[in-house]
Every structure is written in structure tokens, then in C-alpha cells.
Amino acid sequence: MALNWSEEKIAAFRKALLDWYDQEKRDLPWRRDHDPYHILLSETMLQQTQVATVIPYYNHFLQRFPTVAALAQAPEDQVMKAWEGLGYYSRARHLQQAAKQVVQDYGGEFPHTAAELRQLSGIGPYTAGAIASIAFNQPEPAIDGNAFRVFARLFKIDADIAKPQTRQVFDQLIRQLIDPQRPGDFNQAIMDLGSSYMRAKDPDPAHSPLAAFDQSYLSDTVLDYPVKSKKKKPVVVPYFALVIHSPQGYLLVQRPRTGMLADLWMFPLIDRSELEAALEVDQLIEAAAQFAALSGVALKFADAGAKPVRHTFTHQQWQLTLVEAESAAFDLAVLPAKWVKAADFEKLALPTVQKKLVAALKAGGAL
DNA sequence: TATCCGTGGTG
DNA sequence: TCACCAAGGAT
């Protein structure tokens, strides 16, 4: 998309945006300096996550892993523990992998170009542009949801921002507008604008510093932009959650390294949709015994009919029916599993859904 | 390219 | 209850 603005108009646009930013920019922990490690950490945490949620995680994580070298050397389970509750857990694993790449491939000094940053694990076009512009003053766009919304409104762009190929339309446009003297501030100003006057819900475009440049505002069509196709509803997946207790504690298993809640610890789950008609208690016992390699160990089930715990993810809604069992301790050597005392749960990285299950058990008097 | 991957806030 | 959103990336 070619921009037919004069040089004077482009200069006025940049000045209006940056003057406003200089006056009104938010005071955020990762804006204290331009350390690329700080920028990488904050940008990774901020992916699909709100600022208010990230701030305490960011401060704690930096306290725990102060440098890129410290993160590269850290045990992975400690990194996961620091990420616990933040969601999208593969971000944590990729972040540590990127730290290792910086140490091993670049001697501990981040590369300066977006193209090189893009090669690091977990860094996509947005994060590469953010680090390159904020930490290294490179004139690279950082196109996040805010930038999509702000520029879609400014220029009444009809392309669907849910489609990957739409990014290039915005990229081309922003490269013509970004301030070559202050690219990092330009990108961050757009984000601040997108989270304030140009927010998604109930925007206040009249008071935006870019109101005079905003084609959607000038035509009273702000709420028509950005154009974004809708997501599908999450599918319902029913599980039995096995609460197996022995003298050594509760049985927890580590989730597979890929997929949902990767690497985190939970009660064993049995996918009821794969069990077909095996919904009777005796069949359930058989399935549980099979799963946990419990042959010969007697189980006593209780409260199998209790109300399920619900937890909704982006693409799935889990309905978890708690099934409690008392067991002798048995050898777990071959499983990614261990017996854990309830008081020691907090030492492991647990997903929120597991914490919900624990809370339900405590409310029911068990555990 | 379409789908997968969490969580908490909001109206 | 529900739909949508919030500083996206990997596959």
C-alpha cells in the first residue's frame, strides 16, 4: 500500500505521535533501560497477555534470572516454575533456548538486526522488530494487535488481520511512516495509543493525538476497524481426573513435552471421548489400573458422580470428573510421574486447571 | 495456511 | 453464561 502523503504530513504525523508519547507514555518496568534481554523477556511475556498480568511475572523472573547467561544455565524446571500461571508455556522453553543461542552463537551479546533476531527460538516478526527497534534503534516495524488496530483505523484498511498474509500490507505502510530517528519510541507510542484512546472496546478517537490523521474517525467508522474474522468455539473434551493417594502422597504425572500444558505436572487424565462406552465404574477402575500399571493393587473409588470441574482454553473446554482412589505406593520408575505430598505441590510447575482440581478437592473435604 | 497453544479481564 | 480481547509464534 503506497502512501501518498507529503514529507511535511509524514513529519507532522511523527511529531504528533512522539510529542504525545513524551508526555503520556506509561511507566513500565521494562522501559527503565534498553537492555535487549529485558526487552526480549518483556515482549515474550506480553505475547497475547495483558500488561497488568505481566508486570509481577517480569519482576520476579528478572530477580530469579538476572542475565541472559543466568537464564541459559538455569534448570528447565525452575524456568517453568517461574512461568507457572502465565500460560502458553512453550514460550518459556523457547525463551530459554534463545538465551542459550545468544550465549553459544553470539558470545552473550544479542545480534542487532531483525533478520538475525528472527532466527532465535520463539522470536517471530513482531518480537524481532520490537527488540531491533527498541534495543538497537533499527527502523523496523513491530506489528502487534495494537499496531494492526491503530493503522487499520487510520487508513481504513479492509484486509482481514486474522490472515497471515495481511501482515505485509501493514509492514509496507509502517515502513513509510516509522520515524528513523526514534523507531523504538515510534513503535511503543503506537502500542500505548492502541491501549488507550484507540483501544478495541469503547475507544475515544476524538482525543487521540492522531485524530486529525485518522480516516475512520473522520468518517465516523472507527468501530468498523480492524476487520478480523471470528474464531471457532472451543470443543468440549470430557476427562476423568485420577486422584490416586498412597502413603507417599498423590500421584502426579508430567505432561508430554509438546501439546497442551507441555512439561507441567497434573493428576493423570483419562480422555473419556476415547473410552467410548467405558463409563461404568468397574471399567473405569480397569482403565485407571491399566494407566498407572497398578495390576494387583486394590483401588477404592468414591464420588465418581460429583460435578465436573470446567476449564476453558483457547480451543478446548475440559470437563474434569474427579475420581478418588486410595492405593498402596507402587514403583513409578518407568513413568514421568511421582508421588507428591500435598504440601509439596507448590514446588512443581502446575497449570491453572490443576490448581482448580486441588481447590475442588479441598472444598470437598478431601486433601 | 489453518490450527494449536493459557490465562485473566471485560461488557 | 458468553464472546471477545491482550505487546504472537510454531508447525
Side-chain angles (χ1 to χ4, degrees):
Chain A
M1 180 173 168
L3 188 66
N4 59 1
W5 287 8
S6 67
E7 286 302 320
E8 290 75 17
K9 185 169 184 179
I10 292 175
F13 178 92
R14 291 168 179 164
K15 180 169 173 30
L17 178 65
L18 290 170
D19 282 355
W20 171 78
Y21 182 70
D22 289 337
Q23 293 288 325
E24 305 291 339
K25 68 178 177 185
R26 290 174 290 179
D27 180 23
L28 301 170
W30 44 90
R31 288 181 175 175
R32 293 184 300 233
D33 56 53
H34 290 177
D35 184 326
Y37 174 56
H38 297 169
I39 308 302
L40 170 62
L41 176 61
S42 62
E43 295 300 344
T44 303
M45 286 186 165
L46 285 161
Q47 289 167 12
Q48 300 292 285
T49 310
Q50 299 187 37
V51 168
T53 301
V54 165
I55 289 175
Y57 278 93
Y58 174 85
N59 289 328
H60 175 258
F61 198 98
L62 259 194
Q63 194 174 358
R64 188 71 189 73
F65 312 107
T67 65
V68 67
L71 177 58
Q73 295 169 1
E76 184 178 314
D77 60 338
Q78 293 184 18
V79 178
M80 296 308 296
K81 183 63 186 176
W83 208 269
E84 178 187 77
L86 199 52
Y88 287 146
Y89 297 97
S90 65
R91 289 184 295 176
R93 189 156 35 82
H94 286 302
L95 175 65
Q96 188 181 27
Q97 178 60 28
K100 291 178 177 177
Q101 288 176 271
V102 169
V103 169
Q104 292 172 11
D105 301 346
Y106 295 96
E109 299 292 329
F110 280 76
H112 289 203
T113 69
E116 290 172 296
L117 290 163
R118 183 69 183 76
Q119 298 305 312
L120 299 178
S121 184
I123 297 186
Y126 164 74
T127 305
I131 298 173
S133 64
I134 298 170
F136 301 118
N137 215 35
Q138 305 281 318
E140 290 286 337
I143 312 172
D144 67 334
N146 289 307
F148 275 123
R149 182 169 54 258
V150 169
F151 287 104
R153 287 173 175 171
L154 280 167
F155 295 95
K156 299 178 69 170
I157 297 171
D158 291 314
D160 183 355
I161 66 169
K163 296 190 179 304
Q165 62 192 38
T166 300
R167 171 176 293 273
Q168 66 173 345
V169 175
F170 288 75
D171 186 280
Q172 205 172 60
L173 179 63
I174 296 170
R175 285 183 187 280
Q176 301 171 74
L177 283 168
I178 192 168
D179 191 319
Q181 303 302 317
R182 300 177 61 186
D185 286 345
F186 181 96
N187 285 331
Q188 293 183 93
I190 292 296
M191 296 183 216
D192 277 16
L193 198 53
S195 64
S196 57
Y197 297 113
M198 302 300 283
R199 70 187 79 92
K201 292 179 181 176
D202 192 28
D204 183 15
H207 294 96
S208 164
L210 299 182
F213 300 89
D214 193 327
Q215 295 179 25
S216 70
Y217 169 62
L218 297 175
S219 62
D220 196 23
T221 54
V222 169
L223 294 181
D224 293 341
Y225 301 92
V227 175
K228 187 178 184 180
S229 53
K230 295 181 180 178
K231 298 171 184 172
K232 295 186 302 185
K233 289 174 60 176
V235 295
V236 174
V237 185
Y239 285 104
F240 288 117
L242 305 183
V243 185
I244 303 177
H245 183 256
S246 83
Q248 293 184 29
Y250 290 87
L251 179 61
L252 295 185
V253 299
Q254 188 171 28
R255 307 263 315 164
R257 192 169 178 72
T258 59
M260 296 278 292
L261 309 177
D263 293 333
L264 301 191
W265 292 84
M266 284 197 72
F267 293 134
L269 300 183
I270 295 178
D271 188 338
R272 294 175 65 169
S273 65
E274 292 182 358
L275 278 183
E276 307 250 357
L279 301 181
E280 300 300 324
V281 170
D282 57 341
Q283 293 171 293
L284 177 59
I285 292 172
E286 186 179 344
Q290 187 175 10
F291 177 88
L294 276 177
S295 55
V297 177
L299 297 178
K300 288 202 300 185
F301 285 78
D303 295 334
K307 193 173 70 174
V309 172
R310 296 170 183 274
H311 188 80
T312 303
F313 302 94
T314 305
H315 291 283
Q316 294 181 15
Q317 181 186 83
W318 287 5
Q319 294 182 357
L320 302 154
T321 299
L322 284 163
V323 181
E324 299 173 54
E326 197 65 37
S327 161
F330 53 88
D331 188 7
L332 297 168
V334 299
L335 296 172
K338 50 180 149 185
W339 298 105
V340 184
K341 303 284 190 186
D344 292 332
F345 282 0
E346 62 185 35
K347 294 179 181 175
L348 299 173
L350 310 176
T352 296
V353 64
Q354 170 66 14
K355 294 188 174 185
K356 275 192 191 177
L357 295 176
V358 171
L361 287 169
K362 285 181 176 171
L367 195 142

